Amino acid sequence: MGRFNLLIALSLLSLFVFPSPTLAQLRQNFYANICPNVENIVRSQVTKKFQQTFVTVPATLRLFFHDCFVQGCDASVIIASTPSNKAEKDHPDNLSLAGDGFDTVIKAKAALDAIPQCRNRVSCADILALATRDVIALSGGPSYAVELGRLDGLVSRASDVNGRLPAPTFNLNQLNSLFAKNGLTQEDMIALSAAHTVGFSHCGKFSNRIYSFAPGKPVDPSLNRTYANQLQQMCPKSVDPRVAINMDPITPRAFDNIYFKNLQQGMGLFTSDQVLFTDSRSRPTVNSWASNSQAFNKAFVAAMTKLGRVGVKTGRNGNIRRDCGAFN
């Protein structure tokens, strides 16, 4: 029995000395004694990039979302493919991720690595989480404290992307189901959908709503007629499907609650946007946030914080990459 008790005691001790990866907690001051100036360094690089192009905002925000929804927030979406591995970024659903998002993370990583104390001490996953907060604030949205302590993932497979990202044709049930798989509520989903207040989409992603919605109804009846006509002018039938247009026709360069006011007017670009207003289960939230930007900002910050906790890698499940685009 003495040997058995000793084994139990040692196993209990190991729980405290070597915390289980699942017990690890993200925390706001994670780098306080490792790289204390991490937030200012990242913000400085993000601001430089933002001043070069506004695309930095939607590109970084979308990169974070696409990362977290596939294998968790572990920067696996940044990994480049190799001859032996087709990575997440080369899945068809990720080919439209703008290069400026990747570049933002790479520039911030280089700035951190230029400081000996910080070199290879900050994960690419945390850099992306910080950069996402910074682009939201730079475009007029709320700033918030970011929880840190993620490690970078050890796997990136294009096949893992299948069925993990919302499609522009999704209805409310499909949206709620997908977000629930990531521990997010309907309210979180509606708040995160408002990221469409900035950025652009390609004509091919919504052409069905303006040309081939249903037999005898070429235009989606939930679309504002004037807006539908504008979309047809910007995206003629024969247009290159990669031509891009603003997702928010009113304030495309401001992170704000106009997204919800647009939905009230039938001006959601995707079916998955407009359904938030047409479905009676989600309409009250849309109406509430359309008239109260503070309430929306609060809900958005809460949803982003929850999103940042999805599938976090700790312990042996991850490491800190020397190059964000390649495994160590």
Side-chain angles (χ1 to χ4, degrees):
M1 282 298 289
R3 178 177 165 76
F4 181 69
N5 287 337
L6 178 63
L7 286 171
I8 289 178
L10 285 172
S11 66
L12 284 172
L13 180 64
S14 72
L15 276 176
F16 295 102
V17 179
F18 309 108
S20 159
T22 54
L23 294 178
Q25 289 291 305
L26 298 177
R27 59 183 192 272
Q28 293 169 14
N29 63 344
F30 185 85
Y31 293 102
N33 300 317
I34 301 168
C35 176
N37 213 20
V38 60
E39 299 209 21
N40 289 334
I41 296 163
V42 171
R43 189 179 296 112
S44 169
Q45 294 302 312
V46 174
T47 303
K48 272 188 203 170
K49 182 76 185 169
F50 172 77
Q51 288 165 348
Q52 290 166 4
T53 172
F54 183 83
V55 176
T56 303
V57 177
T60 306
L61 185 46
R62 193 158 172 251
L63 189 64
F64 182 63
F65 182 83
H66 280 230
D67 183 40
C68 294
F69 260 44
V70 181
Q71 300 295 337
C73 309
D74 64 352
S76 54
V77 75
I78 302 176
I79 289 289
S81 293
T82 63
S84 60
N85 180 58
K86 186 177 178 182
E88 286 176 30
K89 69 184 290 189
D90 288 319
H91 185 278
D93 289 352
N94 282 333
L95 293 177
S96 61
L97 289 170
D100 291 300
F102 296 91
D103 192 49
T104 299
V105 175
I106 289 161
K107 294 264 170 62
K109 165 79 168 160
L112 288 166
D113 283 350
I115 298 162
Q117 184 182 0
C118 301
R119 185 172 299 138
N120 297 327
R121 302 296 301 278
V122 181
S123 69
C124 302
D126 277 345
I127 293 170
L128 178 54
L130 288 168
T132 302
R133 182 268 312 274
D134 294 338
V135 296
I136 291 162
L138 284 165
S139 54
S143 190
Y144 52 94
V146 177
E147 296 177 339
L148 300 165
R150 301 164 190 79
L151 289 179
D152 297 322
L154 306 177
V155 174
S156 179
R157 292 181 296 250
S159 58
D160 290 334
V161 181
N162 294 334
R164 299 278 175 88
L165 296 169
T169 54
F170 270 14
N171 61 33
L172 192 70
N173 288 343
Q174 291 169 308
L175 288 167
N176 280 337
S177 172
L178 185 63
F179 278 71
K181 286 175 184 170
N182 292 286
L184 299 163
T185 65
Q186 177 176 289
E187 184 169 286
D188 296 327
M189 179 273 292
I190 299 169
L192 293 170
S193 295
H196 289 169
T197 184
V198 288
F200 52 87
S201 178
H202 301 97
C203 291
K205 292 289 184 187
F206 57 87
S207 59
N208 66 304
R209 295 191 73 204
I210 54 176
Y211 292 118
S212 57
F213 184 69
K217 278 186 195 168
V219 178
D220 184 340
S222 70
L223 259 180
N224 177 298
R225 288 301 306 178
T226 306
Y227 184 48
N229 290 337
Q230 290 170 349
L231 292 175
Q232 287 173 337
Q233 287 167 11
M234 290 185 283
C235 295
K237 274 187 177 176
S238 58
V239 77
D240 183 329
R242 293 168 297 181
V243 167
I245 70 154
N246 291 324
M247 292 206 71
D248 177 347
I250 309 299
T251 56
R253 287 178 169 237
F255 190 99
D256 54 27
N257 69 330
I258 300 296
Y259 170 81
F260 299 109
K261 296 184 182 186
N262 289 341
L263 298 185
Q264 290 175 321
Q265 302 300 318
M267 287 164 31
L269 187 61
F270 293 161
T271 299
S272 58
D273 292 312
Q274 195 56 49
V275 75
L276 302 180
F277 183 74
T278 55
D279 195 305
S280 61
R281 293 170 293 170
S282 45
R283 188 184 305 137
T285 306
V286 170
N287 288 336
S288 171
W289 292 344
S291 61
N292 189 335
S293 61
Q294 275 188 306
F296 159 58
N297 284 345
K298 186 178 177 186
F300 184 79
V301 167
M304 285 296 287
T305 302
K306 283 173 72 175
L307 175 62
R309 296 170 182 162
V310 173
V312 165
K313 307 295 185 295
T314 55
R316 293 177 185 171
N317 296 322
N319 59 23
I320 292 177
R321 275 184 224 142
R322 290 184 289 272
D323 172 354
C324 291
F327 296 119
N328 291 350

